[in-house]
Amino acid sequence: MSYKDSSLSAEQRAEDLLSLMTVEEKIGQLIQPFGWKCYHKQNGAILLDESFTIAVNNGGVGSLYGVLRADPWTEVTLENGLSPEEGAQAINEIQRYAMEHSRLGIPILFGEECSHGHMAIGATVYPVPILLGSMWNVQLYRRMCKAIAAETRTQGGAATYSPVLDVVRDPRWGRTEECFGEDPFMIGEMAIAAVQGLQGERLDCDTSVIATLKHFAAYGSSEGGRNAGPAHIGLRELHENDLLPFRKAVQAGALSVMTAYNEIDGIPCTSNSYLLQQLLREEWGFDGFVITDCGAINMLAYGHDVAKDGEDAAAMALKAGVDMEMSGEMFGKHLLSALQNQTVTNTVLNDAVQRVLKIKFMLGLFERPYVDPQQAATIIGCQEHIELAREVAREGIILLKNDNSTLPLNKETGTIAVIGPNANDIYNQLGDYTSPQPRHQVVTLLDGIRNALGEQGRDRVLYAPGCRIKEDSREGFERALTIAAQADVIILALGGSSARDFGEGTIDLRTGASLVSGHSWSDMECGEGIDRTDLHLLGVQLELAQQIHKLGKPIIVVYMNGRPIVEPWIDENAHAIVEAWYPGQEGGNALAELLFGDANPSGRLTVSVPKHVGQLPVYYNGKRSRGKRYLEMDVKPRYPFGFGLSYTSFHYDNLMVTPERISPDDEAIVTVDITNTGAVAGAETVQLYITDVVSSITRPGKELKGFCKVMLQPGETRTVSFTVTREHLQLINERFESVVEEGEFKILVGRNAEDFLSTTLNVQKGE
């Protein structure tokens, strides 16, 4: 049994183990049943369900999905769920049974959701990815990924289903919040950081998990912004935009890829051999395994209708390059008969199994299958990670408007009214893919403001919810207006919600008190499967703001939401607007620091915010041939890509390119001087865009090719430099070759996609 010899390579061990396995054992390695269904807790003990033990005895279970996941879908609550220590104990019990009762003692691979934190009870809840992108700080994001990996692996999870690398093309899509933004270059930089942070320097340690890149591919380019809709996209655009972040992440060493639900040009991604074999493995050299999204193989037969039945769908996916099925339904039911009917071959099956086994050996699961529950209790949700969540939120929150220096507020300001449905609702600031939360673990905006003012200032903070996100009830208006009339300044917390129904009641609109019994309220208007036709505020939120505005008081609008909000009246009438996205469990503290000037806003938009939904698509890097304007308005966004304000000001000067002329394979250095011309310290995100002036293939008007976040003291000047290489200048020509064409390139450096300095770089072939 050479596979037990840890001195051999992962490839050698996987090959040996494969040679000893039965067909049933091989198929078992390719299925991933729902993990929360394989155990139950009884009188404090973890008991394994009979269906799981039978499956192990009949050939094994290769992987389990979401053993530690807790949310309304899994029906795992704070009451019946597992603490960090209990979760680790449950993983050990499940793993021990698999190791001791399967014929060859193959350990289970536990996969967990970690989009913005390990989705288990007690784990740290970080801001959603759209805020993480808004930080423009890959180093900080890498630190966050390391912390998430540590919380996940210490409890037994060894694979995570993140990062999401979809390029947002229509923000009406409910999963916009799960993405970094609309630019493939920026997403690619975040992808590299995610792989480095999650997978670490080596996989066989307590702080590393394998990263799963999702959703492969073009999932963010769906028709009409509808989830899993067809992607109408050409092969060249697919490569230049949607595939770019995935290629970068694969080059960084990512070991798992998840197929997307959608089709591209008539071929579902889950049965697309071009994507999964030719491109991913042969051209890019991907050395990991491919897993489906939940139910994706089923869709081949009952959705896309490209397979006649379940067996046909399972065979189609396996032959296309899928190695593991989340849920395991179709592979588990149909692969054996597909082999018997010779619709798939043993060679195809063996290739898939060997890829899965190799990753298990790389993770060290055979040598160290169990975890330390005490270590899990210490690391998960620790103070260091809570402080990191606050730092991340602080860097990604964006100041969109600040008329007459309304912000920052003076802490000696008289009475402050905190009003709105998102002022004190914990789940409305956490986003989708969030576990149940004890109230004390989440700091709301109201909490944060009271914390910032301390005991002596708490009495000066008044609160009223005013209304709910979606409901048309105005019963809370009277209290909200009464409180607003008493205040010197009003903070209005509006926006959306990706909170699923956690069954924890709602808020009394008339008193602001929590109703812990009775009907639980779901205000969900964003998240997976929640797509919209518009981007305006739902319910009576706008009317509430308009009524309060009549009082003539300063109004600061704080948006908490998962996609851009389009409300021209608020853009025009609010004195200040803060875009907080879903800022995580420390969001309230981070917001308070920014509102009172203890920190300077440095977040910048990674999606363009339109003036009207009819402008969509409005992403900044559209083709120059996209048209001029509409009858009613131009095509410019309300807030452009890269936009964000600060409490200080920055001056750009001395933009230079050295040398000014290069050959296609040479490099040029771009430098620019940035000066903080204001009175307080602040961070500026310097952005480099490039325009190919004349090209054989139509190109975007400009493309982001570099960014750098720099902290400057008042009066300080720093020279920021970027290196422009072949990769930044190339295009895919008519023969689908990556080439750099001769000619003029505009070098644009500035504070956002519409505010920049410009100079020229010429590319000429050598003599």
Side-chain angles (χ1 to χ4, degrees):
M1 294 186 180
S2 299
Y3 75 90
K4 294 187 176 181
D5 184 352
S6 61
S7 68
L8 298 178
S9 70
E11 290 84 356
Q12 291 172 312
R13 298 176 73 183
E15 185 176 352
D16 178 64
L17 177 55
L18 183 67
S19 69
L20 304 174
M21 297 171 70
T22 65
V23 170
E24 290 79 7
E25 288 168 339
K26 292 175 183 178
I27 292 173
Q29 291 303 302
L30 306 188
I31 65 172
Q32 188 186 68
F34 295 142
W36 65 89
K37 293 185 176 182
C38 73
Y39 75 92
H40 61 277
K41 191 169 69 169
Q42 182 174 311
N43 298 324
I46 305 298
L47 304 179
L48 303 184
D49 285 359
E50 185 179 7
S51 60
F52 169 73
T53 59
I54 291 173
V56 170
N57 295 330
N58 288 343
V61 176
S63 181
L64 285 173
Y65 171 71
V67 170
L68 302 168
R69 174 173 174 166
D71 67 340
W73 183 51
T74 63
E75 298 181 341
V76 177
T77 67
L78 291 173
E79 288 72 30
N80 65 19
L82 305 173
S83 69
E85 185 174 0
E86 291 172 332
Q89 292 169 347
I91 289 284
N92 285 344
E93 289 297 321
I94 295 167
Q95 190 72 284
R96 185 172 291 108
Y97 191 91
M99 296 286 288
E100 295 177 357
H101 292 80
S102 62
R103 186 175 68 91
L104 296 169
I106 304 174
I108 290 174
L109 173 68
F110 296 96
E112 297 292 332
E113 295 287 356
C114 302
S115 173
H116 53 110
H118 178 28
M119 196 176 167
I121 291 172
T124 310
V125 184
Y126 294 91
V128 293
I130 193 68
L131 184 146
L132 303 177
S134 301
M135 298 188 303
W136 296 71
N137 188 335
V138 293
Q139 293 81 13
L140 182 55
Y141 177 57
R142 186 183 300 113
R143 280 176 52 203
M144 191 194 100
C145 288
K146 287 184 177 180
I148 291 174
E151 291 200 8
T152 306
R153 188 65 182 270
T154 195
Q155 205 176 15
T160 172
Y161 302 113
S162 63
V164 174
L165 303 183
D166 302 314
V167 180
V168 176
R169 282 293 179 252
D170 189 329
R172 294 177 299 173
W173 183 38
R175 303 193 77 167
T176 295
E177 67 181 77
E178 297 180 50
C179 306
F180 297 120
E182 70 187 32
D183 180 77
F185 177 86
M186 192 275 294
I187 299 170
E189 296 300 295
M190 297 292 279
I192 294 169
V195 173
Q196 293 171 341
L198 292 169
Q199 296 189 174
E201 296 182 1
R202 52 184 297 171
L203 288 175
D204 58 342
C205 66
D206 294 337
T207 56
S208 294
V209 295
I210 61 170
T212 300
L213 316 178
K214 64 183 197 181
H215 308 85
F216 196 61
Y219 192 45
S221 298
S222 64
E223 178 182 274
R226 294 189 297 276
N227 194 47
H232 304 297
I233 187 170
L235 189 58
R236 178 175 289 102
E237 184 179 352
L238 180 69
H239 275 270
E240 291 182 339
N241 289 281
D242 296 78
L243 292 177
L244 176 64
F246 289 91
R247 176 169 60 83
K248 289 286 192 181
V250 168
Q251 291 172 343
L255 289 172
S256 178
V257 169
M258 178 183 288
T259 61
Y261 288 124
N262 59 282
E263 63 173 84
I264 303 173
D265 195 23
I267 303 177
C269 294
T270 305
S271 60
N272 194 324
S273 59
Y274 168 73
L275 287 177
L276 305 182
Q277 297 281 22
Q278 180 180 332
L279 182 68
L280 185 61
R281 293 194 171 100
E282 296 173 18
E283 295 185 24
W284 291 358
F286 175 66
D287 198 30
F289 69 85
V290 173
I291 184 171
T292 70
D293 209 337
C294 183
I297 296 179
N298 184 283
M299 285 180 63
L300 296 179
Y302 311 105
H304 294 299
D305 299 333
V306 295
K308 63 182 179 182
D309 54 26
E311 181 180 320
D312 191 27
M316 188 178 292
L318 189 69
K319 288 188 291 187
V322 169
D323 302 312
M324 184 183 290
E325 182 192 14
M326 181 184 289
S327 82
E329 179 184 2
M330 306 301 275
F331 274 4
K333 286 182 179 179
H334 301 295
L335 272 189
L336 184 58
S337 61
L339 283 163
Q340 293 169 344
N341 295 328
Q342 298 183 344
T343 52
V344 294
T345 65
N346 280 305
T347 299
V348 173
L349 174 66
N350 289 344
D351 287 345
V353 175
Q354 186 162 1
R355 285 190 283 261
V356 172
L357 292 176
K358 186 181 72 172
I359 298 301
K360 290 188 176 184
F361 284 115
M362 293 174 66
L363 284 163
L365 296 179
F366 284 79
E367 285 69 49
R368 300 175 63 205
Y370 309 116
V371 293
D372 181 354
Q374 291 301 317
Q375 187 180 28
T378 301
I379 292 177
I380 293 173
C382 67
Q383 188 60 37
E384 179 185 350
H385 294 172
I386 293 172
E387 292 171 1
L388 179 59
R390 183 170 179 171
E391 181 181 359
V392 168
R394 189 167 57 234
E395 284 219 19
I397 293 170
I398 307 162
L399 180 61
L400 293 179
K401 182 180 180 181
N402 194 21
D403 279 0
N404 300 318
S405 297
T406 300
L407 294 176
L409 296 174
N410 190 317
K411 289 183 181 178
E412 301 304 316
T413 297
T415 301
I416 300 173
V418 184
I419 297 171
N422 284 345
N424 198 39
D425 188 310
I426 64 172
Y427 290 108
N428 282 13
Q429 72 178 54
L430 298 181
D432 204 358
Y433 283 86
T434 295
S435 62
Q437 301 295 308
R439 176 61 182 87
H440 68 270
Q441 187 162 309
V442 181
V443 182
T444 66
L445 175 60
L446 178 63
D447 295 336
I449 290 172
R450 286 173 171 167
N451 291 343
L453 295 181
E455 289 298 326
Q456 294 181 343
R458 293 174 68 89
D459 292 341
R460 294 188 284 114
V461 181
L462 307 177
Y463 162 65
C467 64
R468 297 191 176 94
I469 298 293
K470 295 191 302 187
E471 190 190 23
D472 290 335
S473 172
R474 297 168 179 80
E475 63 179 333
F477 275 29
E478 181 179 357
R479 173 178 169 84
L481 290 167
T482 298
I483 284 175
Q486 301 173 43
D488 297 289
V489 64
I490 300 159
I491 299 174
L492 197 53
L494 308 174
S497 171
S498 293
R500 298 184 182 272
D501 188 351
F502 285 89
E504 298 193 9
T506 185
I507 295 173
D508 190 317
L509 296 181
R510 291 166 298 180
T511 66
S514 295
L515 300 177
V516 294
S517 61
H519 175 68
S520 57
W521 195 274
S522 175
D523 261 343
M524 189 176 187
E525 57 82 64
C526 194
E528 183 173 1
I530 311 295
D531 312 314
R532 291 190 56 193
T533 60
D534 212 324
L535 295 174
H536 62 75
L537 292 169
L538 287 178
V540 292
Q541 293 183 81
L542 178 60
E543 184 180 342
L544 175 65
Q546 291 170 332
Q547 291 295 321
I548 289 175
H549 180 262
K550 293 178 182 179
L551 299 174
K553 307 288 183 76
I555 296 178
I556 299 158
V557 171
V558 175
Y559 283 140
M560 294 186 191
N561 46 293
R563 55 162 74 87
I565 290 172
V566 177
E567 282 296 355
W569 186 91
I570 288 181
D571 291 326
E572 295 166 9
N573 291 282
H575 296 85
I577 302 175
V578 175
E579 176 56 82
W581 303 119
Y582 295 129
Q585 71 178 69
E586 279 292 302
N589 281 332
L591 276 163
E593 288 182 283
L594 296 167
L595 292 172
F596 290 112
D598 295 323
N600 193 344
S602 64
R604 302 292 184 262
L605 288 171
T606 57
V607 286
S608 305
V609 180
K611 300 185 185 80
H612 188 280
V613 73
Q615 292 178 302
L616 296 176
V618 75
Y619 47 85
Y620 87 94
N621 52 350
K623 295 293 186 72
R624 285 171 285 201
S625 56
R626 71 192 308 182
K628 301 300 181 183
R629 61 165 293 132
Y630 295 101
L631 175 65
E632 298 91 344
M633 67 182 65
D634 60 29
V635 296
K636 295 289 186 182
R638 173 76 65 182
Y639 302 107
F641 177 84
F643 178 82
L645 300 177
S646 170
Y647 294 151
T648 190
S649 55
F650 300 96
H651 178 69
Y652 287 67
D653 200 10
N654 298 325
L655 176 61
M656 297 178 61
V657 179
T658 308
E660 297 178 353
R661 186 184 303 272
I662 61 172
S663 71
D665 292 317
D666 287 339
E667 297 181 351
I669 304 298
V670 177
T671 58
V672 65
D673 292 341
I674 314 296
T675 303
N676 182 345
T677 55
V680 296
E684 172 71 334
T685 297
V686 186
Q687 302 162 39
L688 166 70
Y689 299 87
I690 296 180
T691 299
D692 190 346
V693 177
V694 178
S695 54
S696 62
I697 300 295
T698 62
R699 304 291 298 145
K702 63 179 76 75
E703 296 177 283
L704 183 73
K705 295 298 181 181
F707 57 89
C708 179
K709 194 168 191 177
V710 293
M711 172 62 72
L712 297 172
Q713 297 299 316
E716 181 182 0
T717 298
R718 186 177 302 180
T719 300
V720 174
S721 65
F722 300 97
T723 301
V724 176
T725 68
R726 177 185 183 88
E727 184 176 356
H728 300 120
L729 303 173
Q730 67 187 12
L731 57 77
I732 299 175
N733 67 14
E734 60 183 6
R735 294 182 295 278
F736 281 88
E737 302 165 330
S738 295
V739 300
V740 176
E741 296 183 333
E742 293 185 272
E744 180 181 335
F745 291 81
K746 290 292 184 183
I747 304 297
L748 318 172
V749 179
R751 64 187 86 250
N752 60 63
E754 294 186 3
D755 186 353
F756 46 78
L757 302 179
S758 175
T759 188
T760 300
L761 171 66
N762 284 286
V763 175
Q764 299 290 335
K765 292 182 179 178
E767 293 292 337

